[in-house]
Amino acid sequence: IPEVAGELKVSYVLEGTYKKIGDQLRVTAQLIEAKNDRHLWQSEYDRPYEEIITIQSDIALQIADQVKVYLTGAEKKHIQKIPTRNQEAYELLQEAMYGGYYDTTSFAGWYRKSLDLALKAIELDPEYADAYAAAGSSILASGNYAGGREMRSAGWDALHYFEKALEIDPANGNALFGLAQLNDWFIWDYIKAEKGFRKAM
């Protein structure tokens, strides 16, 4: 952990696991001070599975309190913001972002599957900014690497989704990152791309 923290230039590392047991979810989280590998705080959460969306903000606020970080009202509001209340949309997007590749045999298949899942999430919750950002990223990726699509066409189609995500949530990191990629890969405005990547971080 000290080595990883050194590479990331961070003072603390959050380590955790989660397990679904029937309709229940158990999350174990522990905060580690990196320089001496000391455990500062640990907590277990047993909640109904449908609360998986809100558990993240609870953990973030407890950690901020533990390390004595002062949070402004705007920061607290941002942490407590729930991206969607629709459980099915949330799960579809998790699969789109993290699970799609393993069920396909090609990059092109992965991009198509990820896009389909993100679009289904949008249907279930038209105000789900992360779903629009994921759709844009899938489209943009289909014009790069082994996606098999012409980059200019993919870029223009992706732009619509990134803009919609930022219309819903102007601070959406995934959409800001996608726009930065678009500026990097498609428009070749590297100065704007770098500013976009920094803003996303």
Side-chain angles (χ1 to χ4, degrees):
I1 284 175
E3 185 181 338
V4 170
E7 288 178 15
L8 296 174
K9 297 183 174 68
V10 297
S11 300
Y12 303 94
V13 172
L14 178 67
E15 185 178 69
T17 60
Y18 79 94
K19 188 182 289 187
K20 187 171 185 274
I21 307 162
D23 292 333
Q24 290 293 115
L25 180 73
R26 170 168 289 176
V27 176
T28 303
Q30 51 187 348
L31 186 67
I32 301 163
E33 188 175 31
K35 66 182 177 186
N36 53 19
D37 206 4
R38 184 168 65 100
H39 289 64
L40 297 176
W41 166 86
Q42 180 171 330
S43 189
E44 252 185 21
Y45 301 80
D46 286 302
R47 303 272 185 89
Y49 181 71
E50 65 264 16
E51 292 185 22
I52 190 172
I53 301 168
T54 58
I55 233 173
Q56 299 167 55
S57 62
D58 293 349
I59 293 171
L61 290 171
Q62 281 198 30
I63 290 168
D65 182 60
Q66 183 66 34
V67 297
K68 309 293 185 248
V69 171
Y70 172 75
L71 296 174
T72 65
E75 286 168 335
K76 277 187 184 174
K77 188 176 175 184
H78 182 72
I79 288 170
Q80 291 172 315
K81 185 176 180 181
I82 306 301
T84 182
R85 297 270 177 200
N86 188 304
Q87 184 73 34
E88 190 180 349
Y90 177 82
E91 289 179 359
L92 284 168
L93 192 61
Q94 298 312 297
E95 188 179 350
M97 294 170 69
Y98 306 113
Y101 175 69
Y102 300 104
D103 297 330
T104 58
T105 55
S106 69
F107 281 113
W110 176 30
Y111 300 141
R112 279 194 300 274
K113 180 167 184 179
S114 295
L115 177 59
D116 288 346
L117 291 166
L119 293 176
K120 284 178 188 170
I122 290 168
E123 280 178 30
L124 292 168
D125 182 355
E127 295 300 305
Y128 194 1
D130 285 332
Y132 287 97
S137 293
S138 295
I139 292 169
L140 191 63
S142 72
N144 201 3
Y145 305 126
R149 186 169 175 194
E150 197 272 319
M151 186 64 205
R152 184 168 296 274
S153 166
W156 286 122
D157 287 350
L159 180 62
H160 158 74
Y161 288 99
F162 295 139
E163 287 177 340
K164 181 63 179 175
L166 291 170
E167 181 185 314
I168 296 165
D169 176 11
N172 186 279
N174 292 325
L176 290 166
F177 181 78
L179 271 180
Q181 284 184 311
L182 194 145
N183 280 305
D184 185 10
W185 297 350
F186 166 47
I187 299 171
W188 303 337
D189 186 336
Y190 303 122
I191 293 171
K192 196 171 181 182
E194 184 181 2
K195 285 180 182 173
F197 286 129
R198 290 183 183 279
K199 189 172 182 184
M201 287 190 290

